[in-house]
Amino acid sequence: MLGLCGAPAPAQARDAVPAERLAARRWFADAKFGLFIHWGVYSQLGAGEWVMHNRKIAVGDYEWLATTFNPTKFDAAAWVALAKRAGVRYITITSRHHDGFSMFQTAETPYNIVDWTPFHRDPLKELADACHANGGGIKLFFYYSQLDWHHPDYWPRGRTAWDNGRPDRGDWSRYLRFMDAQLTELLTRYGPVGGIWFDGMWDKPDAPWQLDSTYALIHRLQPAALVIPNHHQQPRPGEDVQTFEQDLPGANTAGFNTGYVSAEVPLETSLTMNDSWGFNITDRDFKSMRALVGYLVRAAGYGANLLLNIGPRPDGTIGPEFTARLDSLGAWLGVYGAAIYGTRAGPVPPRSWGATTRRGDTVFVHVLDWPDPELALPPLGARVRAAYLLRGRAPVRFQEAASGVALTLPPPVATEPDRVVVLVTGSR
Ligand code: H79
């Protein structure tokens, strides 16, 4: 079988993947912008989602903390309305983080938000219903931790949470069955699920995780659901997206990402808006709008999505630093979304000055950081037939030569993080 461009098809990417899932991957690559939500029992301590490990909180004490979780101001419709205003196409929310507490109704453990807390509601069900209401518009993905600091069968332990009083024994196969049973619940009780975003495998990368059977289970239960593993390794068979944590594809400032970038599956960069995933009451290091637009644009320039995180408060409200930035990004996308949504990586890979994206014969030059009037691009592989500014449509002067294309730019404006030049290209 021949793949695109007549090249032999990569065995895993095209031969074995059913059409439904290939279509879901295309949808994902088109979506470009998602909202990540880290929310759980840990939110109450306002010190991020790793607080149980970091402060060596004993299992029994954390179990008590969980009995007090009562986010009475949680409003799924308001969260989804915010997501829509922000212009995200999907939400990825923590169904169970490393603390092992299930934020959904599950028959597999009483340690869940419906049975263990005075809240007695299933926020994931409410969120799924809100995503699917009014004709939908937002897909819902579930973050699911393979690492568990609470479950007695998470044994042998990995690299984390050695000091919280768990027993030094456990039945690993029983733990795997527990996870598969919970995934079955998530994929059968919440309507169509965009996919499962796995995290925590890096706690013990060489354990017998039985990924093949878990991935097969997911794809059998929902053939269009994507498997997105945050294991920081090269994609394996059955995995649909390569995701990079706190880094653009190929970069490794975080210290645990891989330099390998898949050319076969869609890409995604997950990013905190400040320096924390879960609610952190003293973390005021919020990224500027200019920085956030830069991430969204550069991610798109690599062909990747941006999965931008918020950490709601324990009462269910979302802090104004998060909502203000999401509203601004939504307003920005209202003007510049044509150069982001539905695009793929452009002909010039991301540079210090910015990035390029493309849709068919249209190339979008995103100028993020360039003070001079002239910007020289390398050859684009096609002639430029017209050039104009996306905002306002004013024509842009360009000069083509064998060495490339030079654009004459309008001066930078402090309030505009990205000057987007639209190039209409074609062979003649
Ligand atoms: O959910 C968020 C984080 O809680 C989770 N992933 C995002 C999306 C995450 N947890 N840890 N990390 C990300 C970073 C991993 C750090 C590690 Fe290590 C470095 C894992 C292995 C080496 C820290 C040091 C843990 C073990 C040793």
Side-chain angles (χ1 to χ4, degrees):
M1 176 186 163
L2 291 182
L4 291 180
C5 313
Q12 183 245 330
R14 294 192 198 284
D15 285 350
V17 181
E20 251 168 313
R21 217 157 93 234
L22 287 177
R25 288 182 183 182
R26 276 193 298 278
W27 178 92
F28 187 84
D30 284 344
K32 283 290 170 289
F33 190 28
L35 180 66
F36 211 174
I37 303 180
H38 275 72
W39 193 52
V41 164
Y42 43 81
S43 307
Q44 295 186 99
L45 297 183
E49 76 291 352
W50 271 61
V51 65
M52 184 181 184
H53 167 94
N54 292 342
R55 291 189 60 193
K56 301 183 180 16
I57 300 175
V59 162
D61 294 327
Y62 204 92
E63 285 180 344
W64 164 80
L65 181 68
T67 67
T68 72
F69 191 50
N70 195 15
T72 51
K73 293 185 179 160
F74 170 70
D75 179 348
W79 285 21
V80 171
L82 173 65
K84 288 186 173 172
R85 289 203 308 277
V88 302
R89 299 293 197 238
Y90 61 103
I91 292 174
T92 304
I93 187 166
T94 44
S95 65
R96 174 167 149 280
H97 206 270
H98 311 332
D99 66 356
F101 188 79
S102 298
M103 289 291 286
F104 60 101
Q105 175 141 48
T106 171
E108 300 307 315
T109 170
Y111 200 49
N112 71 75
I113 188 162
V114 177
D115 296 318
W116 197 272
T117 78
F119 192 50
H120 294 306
R121 284 158 53 187
D122 181 341
L124 299 197
K125 183 77 178 98
E126 294 178 22
L127 201 60
D129 290 346
C131 284
H132 301 145
N134 309 318
I138 303 277
K139 281 203 196 192
L140 187 61
F141 291 67
F142 292 129
Y143 169 110
Y144 190 84
S145 174
Q146 293 155 302
L147 158 62
D148 193 311
W149 295 330
H150 175 271
H151 201 293
D153 287 320
Y154 189 83
W155 176 264
R157 282 200 268 285
R159 296 144 97 168
T160 57
W162 279 80
D163 311 303
N164 69 3
R166 278 177 295 172
D168 289 336
R169 72 192 97 82
D171 181 340
W172 182 249
S173 331
R174 199 159 57 191
Y175 179 68
L176 294 180
R177 286 198 298 278
F178 162 79
M179 285 203 298
D180 281 353
Q182 284 209 317
L183 290 166
T184 301
E185 293 176 327
L186 289 171
L187 289 158
T188 53
R189 297 181 178 174
Y190 296 84
V193 172
I196 303 293
W197 205 98
F198 283 113
D199 196 10
M201 204 192 96
W202 41 257
D203 188 55
K204 36 182 198 167
D206 301 322
W209 288 102
Q210 317 267 12
L211 295 179
D212 287 347
S213 65
T214 296
Y215 293 170
L217 171 74
I218 293 168
H219 290 141
R220 182 166 55 73
L221 292 172
Q222 291 212 18
L226 302 176
V227 169
I228 309 183
N230 186 41
H231 50 35
H232 310 148
Q233 301 169 9
Q234 279 186 220
R236 308 162 189 231
E239 299 176 345
D240 297 291
V241 175
Q242 187 182 8
T243 193
F244 297 81
E245 180 173 341
Q246 301 282 42
D247 266 311
L248 292 167
N252 188 12
T253 62
F256 41 70
N257 286 304
T258 166
Y260 175 89
V261 179
S262 171
E264 277 145 44
V265 296
L267 309 173
E268 179 185 63
T269 283
S270 60
L271 187 75
T272 51
M273 219 185 278
N274 49 7
D275 295 326
S276 312
W277 299 100
F279 175 57
N280 185 332
I281 199 164
T282 55
D283 182 351
R284 285 176 283 272
D285 191 20
F286 284 88
K287 295 175 181 67
S288 66
M289 251 304 278
R290 184 171 282 276
L292 293 172
V293 166
Y295 270 106
L296 181 59
V297 165
R298 288 179 200 284
Y302 284 105
N305 293 7
L306 181 68
L307 180 61
L308 184 61
N309 183 72
I310 61 172
R313 296 158 167 158
D315 64 357
T317 61
I318 296 171
E321 300 87 352
F322 292 120
T323 54
R325 283 164 179 78
L326 290 176
D327 278 327
S328 299
L329 285 165
W332 184 85
L333 281 161
V335 178
Y336 293 103
I340 301 286
Y341 298 123
T343 63
R344 296 294 182 271
V348 185
R351 301 281 204 237
S352 59
W353 55 257
T356 63
T357 55
R358 78 172 339 139
R359 193 186 311 98
D361 287 337
T362 306
V363 172
F364 302 96
V365 182
H366 299 260
V367 186
L368 297 166
D369 188 9
W370 188 249
D372 302 327
E374 286 260 304
L375 176 68
L377 306 175
L380 304 178
R383 298 291 306 272
V384 176
R385 296 159 62 144
Y388 60 92
L389 289 175
L390 180 56
R391 172 166 226 162
R393 312 268 148 171
V396 167
R397 267 189 42 211
F398 65 95
Q399 276 187 304
E400 259 186 317
S403 59
V405 184
L407 303 177
T408 305
L409 302 169
V413 180
T415 51
E416 294 290 308
D418 185 15
R419 286 168 287 167
V420 178
V421 180
V422 184
L423 303 180
V424 183
T425 70
S427 45
R428 256 270 56 174

